[in-house]
Amino acid sequence: MKNALIILSAFIITVSCNQNTKTEVEQAKQMAIDSMKNQAALEAKQMVIDSMKLEAQKQASIDSLNALNATANNVSTTSKVSAGGSTSTSNNTVASTPTVAKKKKMSGAVKGALIGGGVGAVSGAIISRNNKPLKGALIGGVIGAGVGAGTGAIIDAKNKKSN
């Protein structure tokens, strides 16, 4: 956005001096527009990257909770009855290597939605009309996610049939 403001201020100075030709003024306008579009595309890409990082952090939390649950299941309590009829309780811990919970594979529909959403958001921001890249990114992201999810679901169905 800073680049766009610098170019825009250069454009205003250029127009106010009235020493440049119309083509130079048009070039300055186009440079300002291109700079704003590039900035919007970078912001859209960063939004996608941030959402993917957040999703990875969520998955890491889930994995660590699953590992803790698996470790907790290895501890058992047993009761033994002695010959005199009294009951004694002891905690037996099973000495074994910690079991690591299997990572669930991401379904094709989810992969397709993530990839399609990212590509759609970037494309929508770049292609947007009326210089509204955020609106274009949102619309492109939603449409891309839908198409990607549908494609991934179709691929998953074909893979299930072949297995």
Side-chain angles (χ1 to χ4, degrees), residues 93-113:
T93 58
V94 178
S96 65
T97 58
T99 58
V100 178
K102 270 190 174 179
K103 262 191 172 179
K104 281 188 172 180
K105 284 188 174 180
M106 196 181 302
S107 72
V110 173
K111 284 181 188 177

Side-chain angles (χ1 to χ4, degrees), residues 83-141:
S86 63
T87 306
S88 66
T89 304
S90 66
N91 286 335
N92 294 329
T93 58
V94 178
S96 65
T97 58
T99 58
V100 178
K102 270 190 174 179
K103 262 191 172 179
K104 281 188 172 180
K105 284 188 174 180
M106 196 181 302
S107 72
V110 173
K111 284 181 188 177
L114 289 174
I115 294 169
V119 171
V122 171
S123 300
I126 293 172
I127 299 173
S128 69
R129 294 182 183 173
N130 302 328
N131 295 327
K132 295 183 180 180
L134 184 59
K135 184 177 179 182
L138 289 173
I139 293 170

